[in-house]
Each structure stands twice: as structure tokens, then as C-alpha cells.
């Protein structure tokens, strides 16, 4: 039987964001279509492989500073989109 992914990674900064640390978002039902990530006070680049792996799972990733990520999340929720947010405090 396939093993379940581990679901409690600690993310202290954008450097900790990986395919593994995003596993919880891939387990959500119904499946999300957009993951909004807030990377603190400023927008930080994520590893392109991580973004590609999430796209391959059917999840678009939007990376923003945390304040804008909150606003984007709220906007998408109001649009009734299947969205989740991962937010690092500024």
C-alpha cells in the first residue's frame, strides 16, 4: 500500500518551502486549484522544481509578500475559487 506523506513540516522561511513541506495542500479534499504563499515582508523566489511539481499535481502556486497574499486569498475566496494559503508572518 502507498504510504501517506508526512504532514507537519516546519517552515520558518521561504528557504524551507519544498515539495515535501507543501504535502498538506496536496491532500486537501476537495482539491485546491490555487495555493497562495506569503513569504514574509517581501516576495521570495521559490525553487522552480517545487513550482513545477505543484503544477503537475494540478495546483497553481502564487507567491507574494504575506500582506498581498492575504488580500489575494480573500479575493479568490470571494470569487468562490478552490484556494488555500500558506503564510509566513512578516
Amino acid at each position: 500500500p502507498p504510504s501517506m506523506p508526512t504532514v507537519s513540516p516546519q517552515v520558518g522561511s521561504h528557504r524551507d518551502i519544498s515539495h515535501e513541506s507543501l504535502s498538506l495542500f496536496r491532500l486537501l479534499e476537495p482539491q485546491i486549484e490555487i495555493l497562495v504563499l506569503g513569504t514574509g515582508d517581501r516576495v521570495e523566489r521559490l525553487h522552480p522544481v517545487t513550482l513545477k511539481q505543484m503544477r503537475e499535481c494540478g495546483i497553481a502556486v502564487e507567491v507574494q509578500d504575506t500582506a498581498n497574499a492575504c488580500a489575494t486569498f480573500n479575493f479568490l475566496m470571494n470569487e468562490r475559487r478552490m484556494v488555500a494559503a500558506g503564510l509566513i508572518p512578516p
Side-chain angles (χ1 to χ4, degrees):
S3 63
M4 290 298 290
T6 320
V7 182
S8 62
Q10 292 294 97
V11 175
S13 84
H14 72 279
R15 291 178 200 84
D16 300 323
I17 298 173
S18 66
H19 188 65
E20 293 74 31
S21 73
L22 298 176
S23 63
L24 172 67
F25 298 107
R26 294 191 303 276
L27 296 173
L28 295 175
E29 288 291 334
Q31 181 176 337
I32 61 170
E33 58 180 303
I34 303 169
L35 173 59
V36 180
L37 293 177
T39 55
D41 285 324
R42 43 184 234 178
V43 178
E44 302 287 355
R45 292 179 55 93
L46 298 188
H47 197 287
V49 170
T50 300
L51 298 174
K52 181 176 183 276
Q53 289 169 326
M54 292 301 284
R55 272 194 315 273
E56 289 170 351
C57 294
I59 300 171
V61 178
E62 180 70 35
V63 182
Q64 300 178 340
D65 63 84
T66 298
N68 282 312
C70 290
T72 298
F73 174 80
N74 288 334
F75 174 81
L76 292 169
M77 285 294 294
N78 284 335
E79 295 284 311
R80 305 236 186 269
R81 304 290 295 275
M82 297 304 295
V83 61
L87 306 169
I88 296 172

